[in-house]
Amino acid sequence: MANKYLWERFDFQFMISLTVLHLLFSSLVVRGMGYYGFYSHPKVSMWTTAPLACLSVGSITFMNLNLGHNSVGFYQMSKIMCIPATLVMQYSLFGVSVSFRMLMALTVLMFGVGVATVTDVQLNVIGSIYALIAIGITVSSQIMTNYMQSSLKLDHMQLLGNVLPVMAFLALLAVPLFEDPQVLIMVDWPPMCYFYIILSCCFACLVNISNYLVIGQTSPVTYQVVGHFKTITIIALGFWLFAYQLVPRNLIGIAFALAGVVLYSEMKRRDNAK
């Protein structure tokens, strides 16, 4: 939401440049953690991590473009569609399928998240194209992240520390294709804009670390479930902390989404116990 605030409040439409700042900041933080002994930092060939870096940069870039060119409701809907896209891609590439009970749990979750979050769907051609590309690349990136952590025997921080510098370089190359750097430099941005840029970078770093942790320890589908649970939790806390008006639609959506998370967790537990 910090990115969306920058776009709407300050007319900061340089989402690719913002992505570069996110990646550079995250790379410095993760490398610094390795330097101070928070994790060991094995060296992996740049060519080994390049495919994942390309997909990851594409995912971040097109999700930001998706958010910038679409309403928040349409953006949320595109994120929901990542679950069925992940199921289809995992089955197509690796023959991985889920049980009917698991599928029903995911359906309940997607219905609940949709009811609770998708309220202002506004369609446009460019935004829809960005959304479709974002879904495909995001799902591919998450599946490859899980695969590479397993195949290279790296934990989430080790893989992230090797991928982030390549991602930052690739994102920097993409800036002239979508934006005019001279305009970005020449605009006199207000101080609060810089504050929200820094805040956005901090959030992005936390998101990058947590994403790799969850995907590596679980699966891309479980990662999607955790992400939607986070969304529902934020919505629920907003009603409680900021006294937002709670309408029946929100309450029904939150209830269904939480039920879906509980059902998915129970089905996952049963499958792991077999």
Side-chain angles (χ1 to χ4, degrees), residues 18-271:
L18 184 62
T19 298
V20 174
L21 294 177
H22 288 172
L23 295 171
L24 287 173
F25 181 81
S26 299
S27 181
L28 289 174
V29 171
V30 172
R31 285 299 183 97
M33 292 174 67
Y35 178 81
Y36 285 104
F38 286 91
Y39 71 97
S40 61
H41 183 66
K43 190 68 175 177
V44 179
S45 169
M46 182 185 70
W47 300 110
T48 301
T49 59
L52 176 58
C54 290
L55 288 174
S56 299
V57 168
S59 172
I60 297 171
T61 299
F62 281 98
M63 273 299 179
N64 278 335
L65 290 171
N66 178 17
L67 176 61
H69 288 270
N70 292 306
S71 63
V72 174
F74 188 84
Y75 172 75
Q76 290 293 346
M77 188 171 68
S78 69
K79 290 177 66 177
I80 293 172
M81 292 308 298
C82 285
I83 290 181
T86 300
L87 295 174
V88 171
M89 190 169 292
Q90 285 193 140
Y91 182 77
S92 301
L93 295 177
F94 305 108
V96 176
S97 60
V98 297
S99 65
F100 178 77
R101 293 182 302 178
M102 191 82 76
L103 195 60
M104 290 299 99
L106 291 172
T107 302
V108 172
L109 168 64
M110 289 187 292
F111 173 78
V113 174
V115 170
T117 64
V118 181
T119 57
D120 60 336
V121 178
Q122 300 173 14
L123 298 178
N124 65 84
V125 176
I126 298 299
S128 299
I129 292 174
Y130 282 145
L132 289 174
I133 296 174
I135 291 170
I137 295 181
T138 296
V139 170
S140 301
S141 171
Q142 292 168 2
I143 291 175
M144 179 168 280
T145 298
N146 180 267
Y147 171 77
M148 289 193 69
Q149 287 195 41
S150 176
S151 61
L152 297 177
K153 301 188 186 323
L154 300 175
D155 64 28
H156 66 290
M157 294 297 290
Q158 292 171 335
L159 181 59
L160 193 59
N162 281 282
V163 171
L164 278 173
V166 184
M167 289 174 61
F169 175 72
L170 293 175
L172 185 62
L173 294 179
V175 169
L177 300 177
F178 295 92
E179 300 168 354
D180 187 348
Q182 291 184 345
V183 175
L184 172 63
I185 296 173
M186 292 176 61
V187 174
D188 185 19
W189 302 105
M192 283 303 296
C193 181
Y194 290 106
F195 168 79
Y196 278 100
I197 288 174
I198 295 173
L199 185 65
S200 178
C201 287
C202 293
F203 287 152
C205 181
L206 294 174
V207 168
N208 286 329
I209 294 174
S210 61
N211 284 355
Y212 274 61
L213 172 62
V214 175
I215 294 174
Q217 294 295 320
T218 57
S219 69
V221 175
T222 300
Y223 167 75
Q224 293 289 340
V225 172
V226 172
H228 290 303
F229 176 70
K230 177 190 69 176
T231 300
I232 291 299
T233 302
I234 292 173
I235 293 173
L237 287 175
F239 291 123
W240 178 50
L241 294 176
F242 303 107
Y244 293 155
Q245 183 179 2
L246 183 63
V247 298
R249 175 192 178 98
N250 299 128
L251 193 60
I252 293 172
I254 291 172
F256 269 93
L258 292 177
V261 171
V262 172
L263 288 172
Y264 177 84
S265 301
E266 178 60 21
M267 296 302 104
K268 193 74 174 176
R269 186 192 65 80
R270 292 183 183 182
D271 288 346

